[in-house]
């Protein structure tokens, strides 16, 4: 994309502004154009705007998960634990910080994907307890990304290296991904 744009910019400049320029100038122009495109795509503010414009034209694109989320974890025994999360998503990285009253989880790996037309989110995390006698543990969840006209939610089964399983349900409550969701 940046090469085509660079050739186009070079052609326009050569035709209308500087007809005497040689071909070696394209190297200089292309490096500036490529750097500009990369910077625009990597800055989350601009990436989210571009993503929103593209989503407006094609509603089947993966949704913008950035924001504050509330939900619960349902353990194997049926215990429900309220959790809050913040998701920070860019073009290259997705992170989820999830907090319960006695535990917090940070992202080890998080990958949005489409499988057979269904939106999924792979999430691998490390949880640490506020209680000093409980060691950290790792877990994974495959979330289904559920979209409706006015809401976005995640639902998936989790598995941990402590041999526990359960379900996690989250619903987006705001698009603000600069919030503190910690309990402690």
């Amino acid at each position: 994309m940046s090469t085509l744009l660079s050739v186009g910019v070079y052609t326009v400049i050569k035709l209308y502004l500087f007809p005497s320029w040689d071909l070696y100038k394209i190297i200089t122009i292309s490096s500036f154009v490529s750097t500009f495109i990369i910077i625009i795509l990597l800055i989350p503010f601009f990436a989210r705007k571009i993503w929103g414009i593209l989503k407006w034209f094609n509603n089947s694109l993966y949704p913008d998960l950035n924001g504050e989320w509330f939900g619960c974890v349902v353990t194997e025994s049926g215990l429900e634990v309220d959790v809050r999360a913040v998701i920070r998503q860019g073009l290259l990285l997705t992170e989820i910080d999830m907090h319960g009253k006695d535990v917090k989880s940070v992202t080890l790996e998080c990958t949005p994907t489409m499988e057979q037309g269904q939106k999924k989110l792979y999430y691998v995390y490390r949880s640490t307890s506020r209680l000093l006698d409980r060691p950290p543990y790792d877990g994974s969840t495959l979330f289904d990304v559920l979209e409706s006209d006015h809401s976005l939610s995640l639902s998936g089964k989790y598995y941990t290296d402590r041999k526990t399983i359960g379900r996690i349900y989250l619903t987006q409550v705001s698009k603000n991904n600069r919030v503190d969701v910690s309990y402690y």
Side-chain angles (χ1 to χ4, degrees):
M1 183 173 116
S2 66
T3 302
L4 288 175
L5 190 57
S6 297
V7 169
V9 169
Y10 168 75
T11 304
V12 169
I13 289 173
K14 184 166 176 75
L15 279 174
Y16 298 110
L17 299 175
F18 303 105
S20 63
W21 276 14
D22 293 327
L23 188 58
Y24 77 90
K25 292 280 186 177
I26 196 168
I27 296 169
T28 305
I29 293 170
S30 67
S31 64
F32 285 123
V33 170
S34 296
T35 301
F36 178 74
I37 290 172
I38 290 169
I39 288 171
I40 290 298
L41 291 177
L42 292 180
I43 295 173
F45 174 79
F46 293 115
R48 286 179 75 182
K49 296 298 180 194
I50 293 168
W51 197 338
I53 291 168
L54 293 175
K55 182 104 169 117
W56 187 72
F57 287 108
N58 183 357
N59 200 31
S60 67
L61 290 177
Y62 203 88
D64 179 4
L65 300 178
N66 281 291
E68 182 179 14
W69 297 71
F70 289 168
C72 69
V73 173
V74 180
T75 65
E76 202 171 6
S77 63
L79 176 68
E80 290 189 18
V81 178
D82 289 335
V83 292
R84 301 185 291 211
V86 63
I87 298 179
R88 290 176 301 281
Q89 183 180 31
L91 293 177
L92 300 178
L93 182 68
T94 302
E95 297 176 317
I96 302 174
D97 293 339
M98 193 175 316
H99 294 260
K101 290 185 177 162
D102 293 327
V103 68
K104 67 179 177 180
S105 300
V106 294
T107 303
L108 298 176
E109 175 63 36
C110 194
T111 306
T113 187
M114 297 270 285
E115 293 179 1
Q116 299 175 348
Q118 296 182 357
K119 297 164 183 125
K120 305 281 186 181
L121 182 66
Y122 288 93
Y123 174 49
V124 180
Y125 57 91
R126 174 158 297 132
S127 289
T128 54
S129 177
R130 188 168 106 175
L131 308 171
L132 298 176
D133 61 337
R134 296 193 66 173
Y137 61 92
D138 296 338
S140 65
T141 303
L142 175 56
F143 284 115
D144 291 319
V145 179
L146 308 168
E147 291 181 276
S148 70
D149 291 338
H150 303 292
S151 69
L152 195 55
S153 59
L154 302 173
S155 174
K157 198 170 192 176
Y158 72 83
Y159 304 89
T160 71
D161 61 1
R162 298 184 310 175
K163 309 283 189 256
T164 58
I165 61 171
R167 291 203 63 83
I168 301 175
Y169 302 97
L170 295 170
T171 301
Q172 189 179 46
V173 295
S174 84
K175 289 280 190 185
N176 184 4
N177 65 357
R178 298 183 186 272
V179 295
D180 180 16
V181 295
S182 62
Y183 282 90
Y184 56 93

